[in-house]
Amino acid sequence: MQLNLDRIGLRAGSQTHLYPMSLAPVEGAMTVLLGATLVGKTSLMRIMAGLDRPTEGRVLADGADVTGVPVRQRNVAMVYQQFINYPSMSVYDNIASPLKLRGAGDIREKVRAMAARLHIDHLLERYPSELSGGQQQRVALARALAKDAPLILLDEPLVNLDYKLREELRDELSELFAEGRSTVVYATTEPGEALLLGGHTAVLDAGELLQYGPTAEVFHRPNSLRVARAFSDPPMNLFAARRTAAGFVLQGEMEVERALPQGTGGDGDGAEITAGLRAGALDVEPRPGHLGLPGVVKLAEISGSDTFVHAETAAGDVVAQLPGVHRYTLDQRVQLYFDPAQTYAFGAGGALLAAPRQPAGAGEAA
């Protein structure tokens, strides 16, 4: 399905939930809606589904205006963060329900094939109350996929699962939707999840659509400070800086030689800008051309295969994401290093001035 949101907005009395925005998810591919809780992701998905009507703008499906057409008259499948299944039906009947509604043939074969794809074929005779959370969400996903709808909406479907289950299901979802049979819209609060799912990403904040494009492009070239903040986990390190002829100077008088374009916000020597550096761009090993940033460790935590070091520096507080296990003690002195070419620069109004250049064929993770 080619879905097109044309200048849609949503208000309730004096409160604005969505400011006018236009968005056309890529047909037959996955679009991720990324943003913190209560930024408008669910409101946007409800409008896409036909559960709510926008107070302005139009919703087009394959060129037809479906604004206000109720969900019952739309061929849409939706999976919520809650485990929503029919409690009085077995797993088999839950998955079979959309097939029965449309009078499909070979229902038994289709249900068993879908259950096998989601590894719940051994649970078909059980009821939702007898299942774990991960199993219940697999049933909800199987029912949505069995509907074979041209538009599938997934509203934070993994948020209530533990870390291991989220990892497993995320990988399976990427494989399930790689076929391109449906247009898929997936809402999440986690930047890492958006990167792993790939496709395209729309970044939302406070009811506004800030940026939309291929996920890797939005991640590597956020068009504003707001997007950079939303699409960084851990948060991007941000520093107050002032512009110079050679680049910019951080607090503590650290000179960073970094080419910045002319004719943009933050022009002129001494102009105040914001410099940014992703946590993964900091290292503890010196390299030619890299700058040293001395600091004092305030927290060091190991997560998975990485160590996150929180340190105080003359330029400001930073978080460094270091591969491997590193042991630090409180108030230990540490020397961090970074490549000036890996810094970001944002003008006084928050617009992107400069971003690191990515090599051709660079992956989505950074």
Side-chain angles (χ1 to χ4, degrees):
M1 175 188 289
Q2 179 56 66
L3 180 69
N4 195 328
L5 306 180
D6 180 23
R7 297 288 298 169
I8 63 103
L10 183 65
R11 296 187 307 277
S14 61
Q15 188 173 5
T16 299
H17 294 287
L18 295 172
Y19 291 91
M21 66 177 70
S22 295
L23 177 65
V26 176
E27 185 175 5
M30 179 176 287
T31 288
V32 177
L33 303 181
L34 174 64
T37 304
L38 300 178
V39 300
K41 301 186 302 296
T42 298
S43 296
L44 191 58
M45 296 187 96
R46 288 180 63 85
I47 289 173
M48 292 178 180
L51 291 166
D52 291 332
R53 180 172 186 149
T55 49
E56 59 183 293
R58 301 181 304 160
V59 180
L60 305 175
D62 294 329
D65 190 340
V66 295
T67 312
V69 175
V71 65
R72 290 185 180 86
Q73 299 174 32
R74 306 262 300 276
N75 193 4
V76 178
M78 192 163 183
V79 178
Y80 301 87
Q81 56 184 265
Q82 299 87 0
F83 312 134
I84 298 179
N85 293 297
Y86 300 115
S88 61
M89 292 185 182
S90 67
V91 169
Y92 175 93
D93 288 326
N94 264 279
I95 300 172
S97 58
L99 296 169
K100 293 175 180 178
L101 283 173
R102 73 166 189 260
D106 301 322
I107 290 179
R108 181 170 295 276
E109 181 181 333
K110 290 176 179 175
V111 169
R112 291 190 178 281
M114 186 58 66
R117 289 177 71 185
L118 283 158
H119 313 296
I120 52 174
D121 45 320
H122 61 296
L123 303 173
L124 290 173
E125 303 307 316
R126 296 190 189 181
Y127 287 84
S129 61
E130 302 174 287
L131 305 179
S132 68
Q135 291 168 340
Q136 290 191 55
Q137 197 64 309
R138 287 176 191 270
V139 174
L141 286 164
R143 187 173 67 249
L145 289 168
K147 190 173 182 179
D148 201 22
L151 177 63
I152 299 178
L153 305 172
L154 306 171
D155 189 6
E156 298 189 55
L158 310 182
V159 71
N160 288 324
L161 304 179
D162 63 39
Y163 178 80
K164 185 177 180 181
L165 279 174
R166 285 202 307 270
E167 292 270 298
E168 291 176 1
L169 269 175
R170 187 186 295 128
D171 291 342
E172 290 172 17
L173 286 175
S174 296
E175 294 177 11
L176 286 169
F177 296 127
E179 301 171 2
R181 291 169 58 90
S182 303
T183 299
V184 181
V185 181
Y186 186 108
T188 182
T189 61
E190 299 182 25
E193 193 163 62
L195 285 169
L196 289 168
L197 291 169
H200 286 62
T201 292
V203 179
L204 290 100
D205 182 50
E208 295 181 68
L209 174 61
L210 303 182
Q211 187 172 352
Y212 177 60
T215 298
E217 180 180 313
V218 177
F219 176 78
H220 289 302
R221 290 194 61 84
N223 64 14
S224 68
L225 195 52
R226 290 173 70 188
V227 174
R229 283 180 170 136
F231 208 163
S232 295
D233 184 23
M236 181 182 287
N237 295 301
L238 299 173
F239 310 94
R242 67 179 187 275
R243 190 164 180 162
T244 66
F248 52 83
V249 174
L250 303 179
Q251 294 182 58
E253 301 304 311
M254 174 180 283
E255 177 79 29
V256 179
E257 294 188 9
R258 176 75 163 94
L260 299 180
Q262 300 298 317
T264 57
D267 262 353
D269 288 0
E272 293 183 355
I273 65 170
T274 298
L277 190 66
R278 293 197 185 276
L282 286 161
D283 200 355
V284 289
E285 296 294 332
R287 290 180 173 84
H290 286 205
L291 297 177
L293 185 63
V296 177
V297 174
K298 291 302 174 184
L299 175 67
E301 51 188 349
I302 299 169
S303 178
S305 59
D306 292 331
T307 302
F308 294 85
V309 178
H310 301 248
E312 286 182 355
T313 77
D317 294 344
V318 301
V319 179
Q321 183 176 356
L322 308 176
V325 175
H326 300 260
R327 304 291 183 184
Y328 292 98
T329 58
L330 183 64
D331 292 332
Q332 179 181 342
R333 294 194 175 279
V334 63
Q335 185 79 356
L336 300 170
Y337 298 91
F338 66 93
D339 181 355
Q342 289 300 307
T343 56
Y344 288 80
F346 302 92
L352 179 69
L353 298 177
R357 178 175 294 178
Q358 298 302 315
E364 293 185 347

